[in-house]
Amino acid sequence: MTQAMRNHGSYPPTSTAIDLLELYRRMRVLRRMDEVLAELVADKLVTGPMHLGIGQEATGIGATAALRPGDLVTATHRPHAQYVGLGLSLGRTFAEMMGRADGQCGGRAGHMLIADQERGLLGPSGIVGHSLLLAVGHGFAQRRAGQGAVTLCVTGDGAVNSGAFNEALNMMALWQLPVVVLVENNGYGLSVRLDRHSRETELYKRAAGYGVPGVLVDGNDVEAVRDVVSAAAERARAAQGPTLVEALTFRNTGFSSSDRGGYQDPGEGAEFTDPLELAARRLVAGGTTAARLAEVDQRAAQEVEEAVVFAKASPWPDPAELFEYAAKWDQGALL
Amino acid sequence: MTGTTTARMTYAQALNDALRLEMLADDRVVVLGEDVGRYGGVFSVTRGLMDEFGADRVLDTPISENGIVGAAMGMAMSGLRPVVEIMYTDFLCLALDSIANGVAAFPFAYNGQVTMPVVVRTQGGAGINAGPQHSKSLEAWTAHLPGLHTVLPSNPADAKGLLTAALRSDEPVILVEHKLLYSTEGEVPSGEHLVPLGTAQVVRPGTDATVLALSRMVPEALVAAARLAEQGLDCEVVDVRSLRPLDVATLAASARRTGRVVVAAEAWVRYGPSAEIAAAVTESAFDDLRAPVVRLGSLGVPYPASPALEQAVLPDAAAIQQAVEQLVKRTP
């Protein structure tokens, strides 16, 4: 492993091992996590803004399933699918969201900024567009290292209108970086529907303006997302440069925990395809029994419950570390 | 850590020397920015580096300031050691999102899971009639952010030493160069030369008054001190060098020795670096001060392009001399 690759190491199983039932299990854990988080927010055990991804499970779970050990991932302010898809410790993830000492980042980061170096998550950002900028840097480091690693850059439909999108896509294309840009098109940027914040609503078409392939995929079909991202990742590994993937999905929840609603037309989302139901139907059609699915659901709920118990038992972090940090930046004597 | 031989070179050449030596020593160091490659940098600081190290180590970027610093942030998190050139400090405004929300924040937020060995070299200051969008001194903006070092070399040796220290640091450093200093010459240690980040330096000892000077105001303060010496006033000049961390101990020790302090920085006076320096020195040396700390800086207007107007805005040796004379007069 070169020095350029030192920031990431071991990784969960590779995509070949991930079948639909495992994808379904991950989506179920993620759904349960977000359902429980809504309760924890209501109970004030999780404070601060909370961005749930109910309805969008297939995009993040499908995309992360396409990765290999050594790949890197960036994410947005709605990053829970990456946490579950990359196999972060659920207990430590909940602890971070509660601001506890056992959190992935010691309670400094909150729910939006959980990095996990060991699993390649470097990292999410609460600033719209940041994931694209980070991916340029990651992709450049990977291209230089020349070991076939790729960066999965998750961004949203809101970010395509940021300056960062243009700056990053141009550099990724110019330098033929091994990046897969996954635009999670959930239909809304904050409270503003896609057709009210973007004249051209077929976002994958933007790829042509940068000289890279653009692919549209059903973002509620977890297998389709996995396969499309796998193909784009293979392209990147073969030094053929970046791909822009638009995954069409639906944000079946508010923008954040402070969302007052009232901006959606009546009946909007009525045709929403629940990615878990779609996967369940397909599994049953393929011979998986209802009992088997119920067992997966039950285990997912139990796993989440145990994680919450762990997090609740975790102590508050010691503010002393903050005084040390401040001293480092304010007192030259400590340098 | 410093070689015994020196060579005479300009501030720009000293910066180039630092980059070249570190690129030779560590292949993780990459240089990126507008015009830095084939052209060699508009101030010639990166001249020859692309020829020597190739286009994969020295990247000509699109005009995308936030993208350049954002990319550097990602490179650093992936194990590289990027050095960014932002042509004018004024354009740093475009990259402040990446700097404030990313570079300064991620190592803290991720609790040490990532390091951020990013160096942003930028060039500030007035004096070439470059007008309101190419002349500012915005170092207070980055110095305000915990998580970043902000340093301002005032001479060729420090330019090499501070840049080398910045390149060796695992923490992000904003290095603010001055457009009028690039062609100034001085003796620069050959080979490895480091100036520790966060250290001020007494560049002229004295007993009657202290001038705490930053960047181009250091040579101006030395000119003022020489003129004051002709009047029998012995003026100490301290090069602040690092805005964050601020070497309060060195600054306050000088204040205690002389009891009279003038802070000379080119930035606008209000809410600028001189305010922080004056406050820090006052907190630490109040009992030994004979009068309130005096601040000098640019007049509070956007920088005008006309040579006649620009000179009226900027502090200089004469202003420093006058400030010291008045301070001494008030405190016999």
Side-chain angles (χ1 to χ4, degrees):
Chain A
M1 184 168 284
T2 67
Q3 284 171 310
M5 304 292 284
R6 76 188 153 83
N7 264 340
H8 47 91
S10 64
Y11 216 75
T14 58
S15 57
T16 50
I18 302 169
D19 61 9
L20 182 57
L21 187 62
E22 172 59 15
L23 293 171
Y24 174 83
R25 188 194 71 77
R26 293 180 187 187
M27 289 199 293
R28 179 55 70 189
V29 170
L30 175 58
R31 172 70 58 87
R32 189 64 198 144
M33 170 187 255
D34 276 4
E35 288 168 349
V36 167
L37 279 169
E39 295 166 15
L40 292 171
V41 168
D43 294 342
K44 295 190 168 29
L45 281 162
V46 171
T47 51
M50 169 55 65
H51 309 84
L52 303 176
I54 290 173
Q56 299 180 218
E57 290 86 354
T59 58
I61 295 298
T64 48
L67 299 178
R68 289 187 192 161
D71 291 341
L72 289 174
V73 182
T74 71
T76 70
H77 58 279
R78 200 180 303 284
H80 299 177
Q82 282 73 54
Y83 301 163
V84 173
L86 294 172
L88 271 63
S89 153
L90 273 186
R92 294 193 63 204
T93 297
F94 272 102
E96 184 60 44
M97 292 173 177
M98 289 186 192
R100 305 302 176 96
D102 294 310
Q104 290 266 3
C105 301
R108 294 177 175 192
H111 96 93
M112 284 182 272
L113 296 180
I114 299 180
D116 192 317
Q117 195 186 62
E118 290 302 307
R119 290 174 189 275
L121 184 58
L122 285 181
S125 177
I127 305 295
V128 171
H130 264 191
S131 62
L132 293 147
L133 302 177
L134 290 165
V136 174
H138 296 339
F140 178 80
Q142 288 168 327
R143 200 200 68 184
R144 260 197 88 203
Q147 298 180 338
V150 306
T151 294
L152 170 66
C153 168
V154 183
T155 191
D157 56 290
V160 303
N161 296 323
S162 73
F165 181 86
N166 176 55
E167 297 191 8
L169 263 289
N170 182 51
M171 283 190 270
M172 288 172 188
L174 186 67
W175 297 331
Q176 287 289 285
L177 302 181
V179 178
V180 180
V181 176
L182 176 73
V183 178
E184 290 187 306
N185 180 355
N186 65 16
Y188 276 87
L190 295 161
S191 69
V192 183
R193 204 172 62 200
L194 177 63
D195 61 357
R196 294 179 189 141
H197 74 70
S198 198
R199 177 76 184 184
E200 173 55 76
T201 56
E202 295 187 85
L203 304 178
Y204 71 95
K205 290 182 177 173
R206 292 193 182 210
Y210 298 98
V212 305
V215 185
L216 181 67
V217 65
D218 178 356
N220 299 318
D221 181 340
V222 70
E223 287 182 299
V225 174
R226 179 198 59 195
D227 295 345
V228 162
V229 173
S230 289
E234 289 317 306
R235 230 187 129 255
R237 290 185 213 289
Q240 291 176 296
T243 303
L244 177 69
V245 177
E246 177 188 3
L248 271 178
T249 181
F250 187 71
R251 193 185 79 201
N252 200 27
T253 178
F255 171 77
S256 77
S257 46
S258 60
D259 192 325
R260 295 191 310 276
Y263 52 81
Q264 286 173 306
D265 296 334
E268 210 177 306
E271 292 169 27
F272 161 67
T273 304
D274 188 318
L276 277 85
E277 286 175 18
L278 178 66
R281 278 202 306 275
R282 199 175 286 166
L283 282 165
V284 169
T288 307
T289 65
R292 179 81 181 100
L293 289 184
E295 186 191 320
V296 169
D297 293 355
Q298 195 272 329
R299 276 181 50 197
Q302 190 183 336
E303 209 179 319
V304 169
E305 192 183 334
E306 285 167 6
V308 173
V309 168
F310 169 84
K312 282 179 175 171
S314 176
W316 293 108
D318 183 356
E321 64 183 23
L322 299 185
F323 293 101
E324 285 170 25
Y325 189 89
K328 179 171 140 185
W329 291 98
D330 287 335
Q331 294 168 20
L334 289 183
L335 282 169
Chain B
M1 71 172 55
T2 293
T4 49
T5 60
T6 64
R8 190 147 188 91
M9 56 177 85
T10 66
Y11 185 91
Q13 288 166 339
L15 291 162
N16 180 274
D17 193 36
L19 287 172
R20 190 176 163 273
L21 289 176
E22 283 309 291
M23 291 183 81
L24 279 173
D26 186 345
D27 70 2
R28 296 172 300 170
V29 176
V30 296
V31 171
L32 67 161
E34 296 155 12
D35 284 342
V36 300
R38 190 169 293 200
Y39 190 66
V42 289
F43 303 101
S44 300
V45 171
T46 56
R47 184 171 286 180
L49 296 179
M50 186 186 251
D51 287 342
E52 184 167 357
F53 298 102
D56 233 25
R57 300 278 307 275
V58 184
L59 286 86
D60 273 323
T61 63
I63 301 172
S64 303
E65 279 80 6
N66 197 36
I68 298 165
V69 178
M73 171 164 83
M75 289 177 191
M77 290 163 77
S78 296
L80 298 179
R81 302 181 75 84
V83 192
V84 171
E85 178 172 310
I86 297 291
M87 198 182 291
Y88 285 81
T89 293
D90 311 68
F91 311 159
L92 202 66
C93 299
L94 294 155
L96 274 175
D97 166 51
S98 289
I99 292 172
N101 290 316
V103 171
F106 285 147
F108 173 83
Y110 295 151
N111 206 6
Q113 286 190 74
V114 299
T115 54
M116 199 63 81
V118 174
V119 178
V120 179
R121 292 180 36 248
T122 187
Q123 168 273 131
I128 61 162
N129 320 132
Q133 296 173 328
H134 294 71
S135 302
K136 289 189 281 291
S137 299
L138 299 178
E139 48 272 11
W141 294 14
T142 55
H144 189 58
L145 298 165
L148 291 180
H149 299 278
T150 299
V151 296
L152 298 89
S154 72
N155 60 72
D158 280 2
K160 177 175 176 179
L162 285 169
L163 178 53
T164 304
L167 293 165
R168 297 273 175 94
S169 173
D170 282 338
E171 290 161 350
V173 181
I174 311 294
L175 188 98
V176 185
E177 300 159 11
H178 196 291
K179 52 172 69 66
L180 288 186
L181 293 176
Y182 283 123
S183 59
T184 60
E185 287 192 1
E187 291 297 320
V188 177
S190 302
E192 185 175 72
H193 172 56
L194 288 127
V195 171
L197 304 171
T199 57
Q201 186 184 29
V202 178
V203 290
R204 184 193 192 284
T207 53
D208 295 327
T210 291
V211 180
L212 303 176
L214 200 58
S215 187
R216 191 176 72 85
M217 288 301 109
V218 175
E220 295 291 316
L222 289 171
V223 170
R227 291 178 191 161
L228 289 161
E230 292 167 14
Q231 303 171 29
L233 282 175
D234 188 14
C235 191
E236 181 151 307
V237 178
V238 182
D239 186 346
V240 177
R241 286 206 295 210
S242 170
L243 270 184
R244 194 164 193 153
L246 190 63
D247 184 358
V248 179
T250 298
L251 307 184
S254 177
R256 284 192 209 97
R257 278 195 292 277
T258 66
R260 302 181 181 102
V261 177
V262 171
V263 183
E266 190 174 308
W268 294 307
V269 176
R270 299 283 176 205
Y271 313 105
S274 59
E276 176 60 35
I277 295 166
V281 167
T282 303
E283 284 166 356
S284 297
F286 182 75
D287 291 342
D288 294 309
L289 290 176
R290 302 209 242 172
V293 175
V294 175
R295 287 184 282 159
L296 285 180
S298 288
L299 190 66
V301 297
Y303 286 84
S306 162
L309 297 177
E310 187 182 53
Q311 283 311 307
V313 166
L314 292 172
D316 59 9
I320 296 168
Q321 182 185 353
Q322 192 181 24
V324 172
E325 284 169 358
Q326 286 177 352
L327 187 56
V328 171
K329 211 175 286 176
R330 283 169 59 195
T331 54

